[in-house]
Amino acid sequence: MSEYKSELKKILLLKDLDNIEAPLNSVLKLSNEKDLASFFIDSIYIKNVILQIIDDHWIQSKNSSTEVLFDRFIKSFLNSELKPMLYLHSFFANSSIEGMHQASKALTKIEFFLLSHIKIMSYEFQKKFLQFALTQMSDLYELEHQLNSTPKKNERSAKLSLYRSFDILDQIFELEYIQNEVSTLDQKERLYEGAGIGVQSSYATILLALKYLNLGKKSQFIDLGSGYGRIGLVVGLMRPDIHFTGFEYVKERVEIATKACTHLKLDQHVHFVTQDLSNHSFKIPDADTYYIFDSFSDASFATVMEQLQEITYRKKITVVTKGNAKLWMNKQFWTEPQEFSDGNLCLFRSRARPKI
Ligand SMILES: C[S@@+](CC[C@H](N)C(=O)[O-])C[C@H]1O[C@@H](n2cnc3c(N)ncnc32)[C@H](O)[C@@H]1O
């Protein structure tokens, strides 16, 4: 068993969290980027499942006239949410609700301890760490997607929700959201002044989209209204063969995204450009995939959509929409979308069109 797994097991069993530093330090001494990424991602994931266990146990106990015995109750989790965490099955099988509360506190400490360690490592180390972490996150989001889309198999009162769980990764990318960074708020555009993290797609959304897009080698990807650059950074780390461009109105956001991109040496194939997409003299370049997160004012949406529709006459393209951007997709040009997260994420493929 990897060293981090046995240390994690020990930490979860600690009665006194004042003793947590010693096992944590021993993991840091031994671990490479891959093990540290697994330690970090497992810790965040397990904490989420534990919160779900606590909620679910509480609801079941409330609705039951007899005591809900933990050792019986936990079994269904071992076969579903906890299936990938085989090395912790004996810990969960022998634990209790009090044990869950204690473990949750320990996991919060691990998360912050590891984060401060990773932040002082070299960018080269961070790049490998992030690549392993994102790959593992992608598998966990897929597991969550499968569990939550087969309700018969998973009749829980409390559902697993990883949606914003890994946002802490932003701190490694140094995506520091400057409050009110939009100096003169332009009323005609939707610039989400001061909205910080909320203006970005979650890692869950980006990784799910990337998985189901099934992009061909060396394809071109454009983010229309790229904000602080999360999508480009994730695509850049996961798919070094893809050429990515993000267009963004707010230059300070472009600067933050570009800085992260340069540190991680993604700047050969990932670019962020300051551009007002409502400007009629700007032509959106041809690409294979376009991403739009509810970005624009109505007038700008009309301009952007007109251009994307125009591109479908020349080539097959896919548009990924997040949130209400899907309302702008005209059926005449796009096939029925593939939907995820109750339609919050959609993949629209262009219809085959006769040449004009
Ligand atoms: C909701 S955020 C989405 C960021 C990113 N695409 C994501 O999903 O994580 C939308 C971004 O579009 C930008 N935006 C709005 N109007 C724009 C325009 N006319 N041209 C370029 N960017 C624009 C906003 O400044 C904002 O950063």
Side-chain angles (χ1 to χ4, degrees):
M1 197 193 318
S2 304
E3 191 68 30
Y4 87 88
K5 292 185 177 174
S6 46
E7 292 302 328
L8 183 51
K9 226 169 144 177
K10 271 190 227 158
I11 292 170
L12 293 182
L13 286 165
L14 282 178
K15 294 270 173 285
D16 181 1
L17 291 185
D18 288 344
N19 301 327
I20 201 170
E21 296 261 327
L24 279 177
N25 281 322
S26 66
V27 173
L28 296 189
K29 266 185 236 139
L30 293 161
S31 297
N32 53 30
E33 296 92 334
K34 187 169 187 222
D35 278 353
L36 267 190
S38 298
F39 192 32
F40 187 63
I41 297 303
D42 280 11
S43 304
I44 297 175
Y45 177 72
I46 294 161
K47 188 174 152 191
N48 265 274
V49 179
I50 286 183
L51 296 178
Q52 188 197 359
I53 290 172
I54 293 173
D55 281 356
D56 212 54
H57 188 268
W58 183 81
I59 295 168
Q60 282 199 31
S61 303
K62 206 172 76 149
N63 296 334
S64 166
S65 51
T66 54
E67 189 185 351
V68 177
L69 297 171
F70 189 82
D71 54 347
R72 281 227 210 128
F73 161 84
I74 200 70
K75 276 193 184 134
S76 71
F77 281 89
L78 300 180
N79 293 327
S80 48
E81 287 86 348
L82 292 172
K83 204 168 180 182
M85 306 291 148
L86 205 61
Y87 68 102
L88 291 175
H89 279 198
S90 63
F91 160 74
F92 279 100
N94 295 305
S95 194
S96 60
I97 280 297
E98 294 69 40
M100 294 293 99
H101 282 286
Q102 182 69 1
S104 149
K105 284 186 209 146
L107 290 163
T108 304
K109 288 203 172 220
I110 293 178
E111 188 177 329
F112 286 98
F113 183 91
L114 281 185
L115 182 69
S116 47
H117 172 73
I118 293 149
K119 276 165 77 172
I120 57 167
M121 300 306 276
S122 69
Y123 288 122
E124 208 183 344
F125 182 98
Q126 290 181 0
K127 182 172 182 174
K128 285 193 190 139
F129 171 91
L130 286 164
Q131 284 168 328
F132 286 122
L134 289 166
T135 305
Q136 200 175 330
M137 281 158 63
S138 179
D139 292 343
L140 293 173
Y141 288 132
E142 174 62 19
L143 173 69
E144 180 192 34
H145 175 61
Q146 297 302 339
L147 287 172
N148 291 345
S149 53
T150 46
K152 279 224 167 76
K153 274 196 200 157
N154 187 12
E155 285 167 345
R156 299 239 190 280
S157 310
K159 290 250 181 294
L160 180 63
S161 176
L162 298 178
Y163 186 54
R164 292 272 176 202
S165 306
F166 297 103
D167 278 355
I168 196 165
L169 239 56
D170 285 353
Q171 294 189 35
I172 304 173
F173 286 120
E174 295 177 41
L175 303 184
E176 279 152 22
Y177 307 108
I178 309 162
Q179 289 291 310
N180 302 318
E181 85 279 38
V182 185
S183 41
T184 39
L185 183 62
D186 187 335
Q187 293 300 331
K188 89 179 187 358
E189 285 303 341
R190 303 179 62 194
L191 303 180
Y192 303 88
E193 186 185 25
I197 204 162
V199 308
Q200 304 218 77
S201 293
S202 76
Y203 289 103
T205 304
I206 303 168
L207 289 170
L208 260 186
L210 204 50
K211 183 177 173 72
Y212 284 91
L213 274 166
N214 202 8
L215 299 171
K217 277 229 169 310
K218 297 192 177 176
S219 67
Q220 312 265 336
F221 193 124
I222 289 182
D223 187 5
L224 297 163
S226 52
Y228 298 88
R230 253 196 203 164
I231 298 169
L233 295 168
V234 172
V235 172
L237 286 164
M238 302 284 284
R239 291 291 303 266
D241 60 305
I242 287 179
H243 188 88
F244 177 97
T245 310
F247 293 108
E248 167 58 46
Y249 188 110
V250 182
K251 83 171 181 346
E252 288 83 352
R253 293 180 186 169
V254 171
E255 282 162 9
I256 290 172
T258 303
K259 200 167 140 200
C261 184
T262 311
H263 284 159
L264 295 168
K265 292 205 166 57
L266 302 172
D267 46 349
Q268 291 296 309
H269 65 114
V270 177
H271 299 96
F272 296 98
V273 180
T274 308
Q275 177 62 51
D276 178 0
L277 293 164
S278 69
N279 185 337
H280 288 272
S281 62
F282 176 73
K283 282 279 156 276
I284 297 175
D286 281 8
D288 303 290
T289 309
Y290 298 87
Y291 191 104
I292 312 177
F293 177 5
D294 202 12
S295 312
F296 312 114
S297 64
D298 287 0
S300 307
F301 253 121
T303 310
V304 165
M305 283 303 165
E306 204 176 298
Q307 293 203 47
L308 294 184
Q309 289 164 7
E310 177 73 30
I311 294 171
T312 68
Y313 285 99
R314 294 194 290 279
K315 67 192 301 250
K316 277 186 97 158
I317 61 174
T318 303
V319 177
V320 183
T321 63
K322 165 97 174 88
N324 287 335
K326 66 179 173 197
L327 303 176
W328 288 89
M329 302 301 286
N330 182 335
K331 280 191 175 145
Q332 195 189 334
F333 292 88
W334 314 100
T335 57
E336 277 300 308
Q338 197 177 352
E339 294 192 4
F340 303 87
S341 315
D342 299 325
N344 192 18
L345 171 69
C346 296
L347 309 187
F348 289 88
R349 316 267 174 190
S350 57
R351 288 189 189 280
R353 307 239 345 133
K355 287 225 177 336
I356 42 167

